[in-house]
Amino acid sequence: MRLFQKNAAGSDRLDAVIGPGESEHALEAKDLSVFYGGFEAVKRVSIGFERKKVTALIGPSGCGKSTALRAFNRMNELISGVRTEGEVRFHGVNVYERDVDAVKVRRWIGMVFQKPNPFSKSIYENIAWGARINGYKGDFDELVENSLKQVALWDEVKDKLKESAYALSGGQQQRLCIARAVALKPEILLMDEPTSALDPLSTAKIESLLDDLKKRYTIIIVTHNMQQAGRVSDKTGFMLLGELVEYSDTKTLFFNPKDPRTENYISGRFG
């Protein structure tokens, strides 16, 4: 993979050609802090995410987990007054270096949001448009079909690709948004509470997808639902008041936590 950066003239340059085996981590944060004005929402978090695994970030509302997630692909920069310190390393490069192109970062590290947000376009164009503006030169019909198949949506929409995405149910819209993200062939998928606005049946479909998607992508999911984290994730991090309190294999964290704060949260004593 080649990581795109900006040169002094503002055009893309290729920083390096980096092999997939360089690190066990697909993404790594080091002393990551995020500030909203003078408020430190994420406090010196260091964490590494294993390749082609699902990692869940859990914690009470306002603990900083969604802010941390958005920091991994520089989405916080779209919010006025936010400042980020520390490093997020992707293929050995800190994505916060001055000459790294944030748009390219978000191309390789995709994002799925809490509420479905399809474009006001057809189902077909929701997939094709993003790929088109990112320079895709291949067969768009094939791309659309393959992307929709990855999220188990093809059979449901193959006969109505020209219809508005808004005609789909909420669960279908969210799967379409996931298909839109994977159409760009990212390495990492960030998911911020992707099922919180969905009914139980749609939630089950999304959860089932994650097991298939992790064969191709590294997935980091923020969820307020501890049962969901237990069902879908290989590793789990518990955050509290902006700090990463504990991070380990999911079964270990849930059944043998090392920090009493983790145990108190999981047992329902607070949060």
Side-chain angles (χ1 to χ4, degrees), residues 218-254:
T218 300
I219 299 173
I220 308 170
I221 180 172
V222 161
T223 178
H224 68 279
N225 187 325
M226 286 187 288
Q227 289 76 22
Q228 181 175 76
R231 289 191 297 266
V232 305
S233 68
D234 302 289
K235 305 199 75 171
T236 298
F238 168 58
M239 292 187 67
L240 182 65
L241 299 175
E243 297 180 4
L244 180 65
V245 174
E246 190 165 348
Y247 178 52
S248 68
D249 293 340
T250 295
K251 289 184 179 179
T252 300
L253 187 135
F254 275 91

Side-chain angles (χ1 to χ4, degrees), residues 25-30 87-95 97:
H25 295 138
L27 191 74
E28 188 173 9
K30 295 183 177 181
E87 297 183 355
V88 174
R89 304 197 72 83
F90 177 58
H91 284 278
V93 175
N94 177 17
V95 303
E97 289 181 9

Side-chain angles (χ1 to χ4, degrees), residues 12-65:
D12 288 333
R13 68 179 176 84
L14 294 173
D15 179 71
V17 182
I18 306 169
E22 179 183 271
S23 168
E24 66 176 308
H25 295 138
L27 191 74
E28 188 173 9
K30 295 183 177 181
D31 292 326
L32 178 68
S33 294
V34 182
F35 298 83
Y36 293 97
F39 173 68
E40 189 174 11
V42 175
K43 303 175 182 178
R44 301 182 66 85
V45 167
S46 294
I47 187 171
F49 299 98
E50 294 183 15
R51 299 178 186 278
K52 295 184 179 179
K53 301 285 187 183
V54 178
T55 299
L57 296 178
I58 63 171
S61 178
C63 70
K65 55 189 185 293

Side-chain angles (χ1 to χ4, degrees), residues 62-127:
C63 70
K65 55 189 185 293
S66 290
T67 298
L69 189 78
R70 291 192 301 267
F72 298 148
N73 72 345
R74 296 178 55 173
M75 288 294 291
N76 286 323
E77 293 181 1
L78 303 177
I79 303 172
S80 177
V82 174
R83 184 176 88 258
T84 304
E85 297 180 356
E87 297 183 355
V88 174
R89 304 197 72 83
F90 177 58
H91 284 278
V93 175
N94 177 17
V95 303
Y96 281 94
E97 289 181 9
R98 182 174 299 178
D99 59 349
V100 172
D101 185 351
V103 174
K104 300 294 185 183
V105 170
R106 296 171 196 142
R107 150 74 177 80
W108 291 105
I109 307 173
M111 188 95 178
V112 177
F113 297 93
Q114 182 173 2
K115 293 182 179 180
N117 62 338
F119 300 144
S120 57
K121 300 177 181 292
S122 68
I123 295 168
Y124 185 99
E125 280 300 314
N126 262 268
I127 306 299

Side-chain angles (χ1 to χ4, degrees), residues 141-151 154 182 216:
D141 289 347
E142 182 180 7
L143 176 71
V144 169
E145 180 175 347
N146 289 340
S147 299
L148 291 170
K149 282 182 174 178
Q150 285 189 60
V151 300
W154 173 251
V182 302
R216 301 180 180 91

